[in-house]
Amino acid sequence: MNPKEIRKMLHAIEEEIFSRAEMNLKDMLDSPSAYVRARAVKSASDREMKIENIESFLEDPSPEVRKNAVASMAKAGESRDTILKALDDPSDLVRSITVKELTEFGYEDEDLARRIAADPSKKVRKTFVIALAEAGERELLKEFAEDPSNDIRGILAAFNGELELKEEELSSLSRKFQKIALLSKLGQRNSGTAERMLALLKDFRAANIKRTLVEVFESFPEEISLPALRKLIESEDRTVAIAALKTYRKIKGYDVSLLQAAERFMDSEDEEMRFVGAQYVKGLVEPSAVEILHAGLEDPSDRVRAVCMEALANLMDHSIEDVIDESLRSTSSKLKKASLRAIKKLKTIDMGDHVGRILSNRKEELQTRILASSVAGLLKLDGLLPHLEGIVLDASNESRLRIASARAMARINPSRLADLFGFTV
């Protein structure tokens, strides 16, 4: 078969597999179980599958189903008036998601703000206030100035720069509003403000507040933020150091001048620091870091070893084949997935038995089996055709796994795949 015919066949097979998934979804929507119906509505929305007469689910006896129906309608671009009907729902869960969706799509106005300000549920009012504050809608927020809820008044104070920058005050807010409170109170993003923020760090004990304060540097000009973050990366406080390296990466990407700092992280007794350091070294794709990464393969943490293995594969280090073999024998999904990605990079061809075992084991994580299918196809492991064929033909398998296996078969033996689905070769 030529490549064009193979692509056409795969497209038809995918359509058939997804069609079966749609049929299953219709059965789920009619299920007597509220949990199943709610899951079906969400699943349809996630897959951008249209549900006929979706508005009828606003009358479902389950609040969870009605909530998911509102979210699905908003995502599908239903009219504002249709979604507004859900504001009369007796469940504050449904009304909360409704106001969130309305605000997200820019449907807020004075009438809606007054209506929500009178809602008896703090949950609904708070959801709306948060959405308005995130959208920067100062005028509409005035409707909530006299709200009886301390939480809502705290959010408004943070937004207006009226909150004292004390730990007990900031701790009551989400991290997003902690940032808003800090920036609103501190004013301009200049070197003076940066110095005040560095001084403030010494006043806080709570890890989430220290993390927030460091992350705020992301909004500063680089000539101010980067020197400050470099200083914080050297902090003995692991919360501050980790947040500083992550924030530096967001601003500057992977900077080889921080290799030594990342190596210091990998020598830490703290697992999170070692993991973040390994991730940074991996992102550098720096040949001089090979020894550091090999040392990381001895780390007691699965996730650190997994990152180091993938990093060495990116550097085309074939000496890790024994490590890959050992990892594929382990019970760790993290190590198995890292090994499979490393095999794809290195195109190692003597791991077929391990890959076949993963494919045939229904207890393996879905993503691990999908990766194994991809490896089988990439390396054209024809000995794994029976495993792939079994997955493709079993309609109880998740559609993504079946499609990944069909693609692998198309690489190895497209004629056999054509036979299975009745295509003429």
Side-chain angles (χ1 to χ4, degrees), residues 92 95-96 99 116 119 121-128:
D92 61 359
R95 298 199 307 280
S96 292
V99 299
I116 303 305
D119 194 288
S121 168
K122 181 185 86 170
K123 178 183 179 69
V124 176
R125 300 195 310 275
K126 184 176 177 179
T127 300
F128 191 62

Side-chain angles (χ1 to χ4, degrees), residues 17 90 93 96 133 193 219 228 258 386-387 394:
I17 290 173
L93 176 70
S96 292
T193 301
S219 64
L258 289 183
H387 295 293
D394 187 349

Side-chain angles (χ1 to χ4, degrees), residues 321-337:
E321 289 190 18
D322 288 344
V323 177
I324 293 172
D325 182 86
E326 182 183 343
S327 297
L328 287 171
R329 297 175 189 273
S330 76
T331 57
S332 166
S333 292
K334 284 185 176 66
L335 288 175
K336 286 178 184 174
K337 284 185 279 192

Side-chain angles (χ1 to χ4, degrees), residues 266 268 271 274 294-302 304-305 308:
M266 290 181 67
S268 169
E271 181 190 353
R274 298 198 307 274
H294 271 281
L297 293 176
E298 304 297 325
D299 196 277
S301 165
D302 284 359
V304 175
R305 296 202 304 278
C308 291

Side-chain angles (χ1 to χ4, degrees), residues 333-368:
S333 292
K334 284 185 176 66
L335 288 175
K336 286 178 184 174
K337 284 185 279 192
S339 297
L340 291 167
R341 293 189 191 103
I343 291 170
K344 289 181 73 174
K345 196 73 179 180
L346 296 172
K347 295 183 172 55
T348 309
I349 60 173
D350 57 353
M351 302 289 175
D353 289 344
H354 293 316
V355 176
R357 190 171 62 251
I358 290 170
L359 283 173
S360 60
N361 187 358
R362 298 179 71 98
K363 293 180 181 178
E364 291 283 2
E365 283 186 7
L366 173 64
Q367 191 56 45
T368 307

Side-chain angles (χ1 to χ4, degrees), residues 27-40 60 62 65:
D27 291 339
M28 290 170 68
L29 289 169
D30 292 331
S31 170
S33 164
Y35 170 79
V36 173
R37 294 195 306 278
R39 202 179 81 188
D60 193 280
S62 164
V65 174

